[in-house]
Amino acid sequence: MSAKKLLASTRELLSKEGAWGQHAFAYDDSDERLHWDDPRACTWCLEGGIKFSARRCAATRRHFSEAMSLVNAELVSLGFFGSIQGGNDRRDTTRKDVLAVIDRAIAKA
């Protein structure tokens, strides 16, 4: 496992129709807010998706931290100076935007 593989796994997870969401780490199929590792989760925010993918892929703490840092750096390079959650939850953020941030982070990994 590497940060790059972790990010690729996160991209695969969030690229599925309906798998990306905002304002909670995860949701179930009834739009109930859940913890990111709840087995009923089927929709995740960017940070929740990274956490879920890290658990699923048995990523090390170092690779998880590196993936989070890479994503945060890409958000900063796009002019957002807040948390990953804040970037994910902006009113104008779309799934396409989130996937583009992940792609940019993968390219830098």
Side-chain angles (χ1 to χ4, degrees), residues 42-99:
C42 60
T43 300
W44 296 265
C45 73
L46 176 55
E47 186 170 337
I50 295 169
K51 289 178 177 184
F52 178 81
S53 295
R55 165 88 42 96
R56 183 175 62 180
C57 298
T60 65
R61 187 174 307 184
R62 182 177 65 98
H63 292 134
F64 170 76
S65 294
E66 184 181 344
M68 294 288 283
S69 293
L70 287 162
V71 167
N72 191 57
E74 289 311 311
L75 288 168
V76 168
S77 76
L78 296 170
F80 183 76
F81 296 94
S83 66
I84 292 172
Q85 289 175 325
N88 182 87
D89 292 349
R90 288 175 51 153
R91 192 173 349 146
D92 60 341
T93 299
T94 66
R95 179 174 63 131
K96 182 179 176 183
D97 297 330
V98 168
L99 296 177

